[in-house]
Amino acid sequence: MTDACVSLIDSKCLKEFLRLVLETGNFMNSGRYAGNAIGFKVNSLNKLVDTRSNKPRMTLLHFLVQEGQKDNKNLLSFATDLLDGLKAASRLVLDGLSSELSHLSGSIKQLSKQLENSSDELKEQFEKFLQKSAKDVTELETGLDKIRELGQKLAVHFCENEQSFKVEECLATFKTFCERVKQCEEENTQRALQEIKAEKRRKEREAMDAKKKKNGKKIILPQEEETCIIDKLLTDIKKGFSLRKTTPRTPQRMLSSPKFTVPPAVLADAVC
């Protein structure tokens, strides 16, 4: 727990990321009562995932992780560096440790008092045990006092109320926060890869659609080629091309109106 407290206070990357959180919060709350703040509560860190964007599965914490990595690629290293120590320390309860230590110290004193009226042989057998136990208890009490002192430093460091501040709650909050930062970092990486794949598929579809459109484009014959077809038809008729019994289609230039049909005789005179 002592190491975890010291790591939280000394982590430069954590300080830089918390500064980014504060600046982003002030920007979002600009013009409101919560804007232009000089700090925020530690327990509000785990509420960053509750603020969602219009982008699917994107929260404010995802955005902060993304923006933080743009300026400093190693900014999120604090999550990995602190997490192991925080996991171990967050399982401990300071009040529980203090109670157990007091009970242990009382038991040792009681045993020592009982040995005062015992035989010298029994005293000799327990003498080394009592000395070592008393030394261990003293070291534990010193460590507990150091934890309390570090707790006060943490409260001042994070601008928390020193009277209501609890070290174990602070450590548990930062443990969850570090876990979520790492999770957001992984999800951002996966999302970036998915967006790259989606963009690649989009470009492939556009290229395929363009290719299909190009291959399936209708070829429009110029006017000169249409005239050549009519001349060829007249040439075939002069050579003895047999006409169908149904009324043949007449060239557009010989019709005065679409509702008229030119008789075969007129067509023969035109050919001659």
Side-chain angles (χ1 to χ4, degrees), residues 216-226 229:
K217 186 177 180 181
K218 295 181 180 180
I219 301 176
I220 301 176
L221 295 175
Q223 186 66 29
E224 292 77 4
E225 189 169 348
E226 291 181 358
I229 292 174

Side-chain angles (χ1 to χ4, degrees), residues 2 6 10 44 50 59 82 144 146 150 225 255 258:
T2 303
V6 173
D10 294 341
S44 63
D50 297 334
T59 67
L82 299 176
L144 199 59
K146 187 176 181 179
L150 287 172
E225 189 169 348
L255 299 178

Side-chain angles (χ1 to χ4, degrees), residues 2-232:
T2 303
D3 294 338
C5 293
V6 173
S7 299
L8 282 177
I9 295 174
D10 294 341
S11 178
K12 294 182 179 179
C13 290
L14 177 61
K15 293 177 184 177
E16 187 175 346
F17 190 81
L18 295 180
R19 186 183 300 112
L20 176 62
V21 173
L22 178 61
E23 292 174 352
T24 304
N26 283 333
F27 176 79
M28 294 176 64
N29 295 318
S30 178
R32 305 177 184 177
Y33 74 94
N36 199 25
I38 61 174
F40 55 86
K41 294 289 185 180
V42 170
N43 58 10
S44 63
L45 287 173
N46 292 329
K47 298 179 182 178
L48 295 174
V49 294
D50 297 334
T51 304
R52 300 184 177 276
S53 69
N54 55 1
K55 195 173 184 179
R57 299 184 299 277
M58 187 77 170
T59 67
L60 179 57
L61 185 57
H62 286 87
F63 172 78
L64 291 169
V65 168
Q66 179 178 298
E67 292 300 311
Q69 285 182 308
K70 290 181 180 179
D71 298 331
N72 184 358
K73 294 182 179 179
N74 298 323
L75 180 63
L76 303 180
S77 61
F78 72 87
T80 303
D81 297 339
L82 299 176
L83 189 56
D84 290 339
L86 290 172
K87 284 182 178 179
S90 61
R91 291 193 291 265
L92 304 175
V93 180
L94 193 59
D95 292 338
L97 290 175
S98 179
S99 177
E100 290 180 6
L101 187 57
S102 297
H103 178 72
L104 182 60
S105 177
S107 299
I108 293 174
K109 289 179 181 180
Q110 183 179 1
L111 178 60
S112 178
K113 187 176 182 179
Q114 291 174 352
L115 288 173
E116 290 179 358
N117 299 325
S118 302
S119 62
D120 294 339
E121 183 180 356
L122 190 60
K123 289 181 180 179
E124 185 179 352
Q125 290 178 356
F126 279 92
E127 182 179 4
K128 291 183 178 180
F129 170 75
L130 290 174
Q131 290 177 355
K132 186 177 185 305
S133 298
K135 182 180 179 181
D136 291 342
V137 169
T138 302
E139 291 178 355
L140 289 173
E141 289 176 344
T142 302
L144 199 59
D145 291 338
K146 187 176 181 179
I147 291 174
R148 292 192 182 98
E149 182 182 351
L150 287 172
Q152 296 298 314
K153 288 184 178 180
L154 277 176
V156 174
H157 183 74
F158 292 115
C159 302
E160 295 286 331
N161 188 338
E162 297 182 33
Q163 301 299 324
S164 60
F165 182 79
K166 292 186 178 181
V167 179
E168 55 269 26
E169 291 181 0
C170 177
L171 297 178
T173 298
F174 274 104
K175 178 190 79 73
T176 303
F177 178 65
C178 290
E179 289 174 342
R180 289 181 175 178
V181 167
K182 288 176 64 67
Q183 180 182 354
C184 289
E185 182 180 9
E186 293 174 359
E187 291 176 353
N188 284 348
T189 302
Q190 294 176 358
R191 185 184 299 105
L193 293 175
Q194 291 174 356
E195 290 176 354
I196 292 174
K197 291 180 180 179
E199 180 66 15
K200 182 179 179 181
R201 289 193 296 268
R202 185 186 65 81
K203 290 182 178 180
E204 289 176 352
R205 284 196 301 268
E206 289 180 354
M208 188 177 297
D209 293 341
K211 186 176 180 180
K212 288 181 179 180
K213 186 176 181 180
K214 181 179 179 180
N215 293 338
K217 186 177 180 181
K218 295 181 180 180
I219 301 176
I220 301 176
L221 295 175
Q223 186 66 29
E224 292 77 4
E225 189 169 348
E226 291 181 358
T227 305
C228 294
I229 292 174
I230 295 173
D231 292 341
K232 182 179 180 182

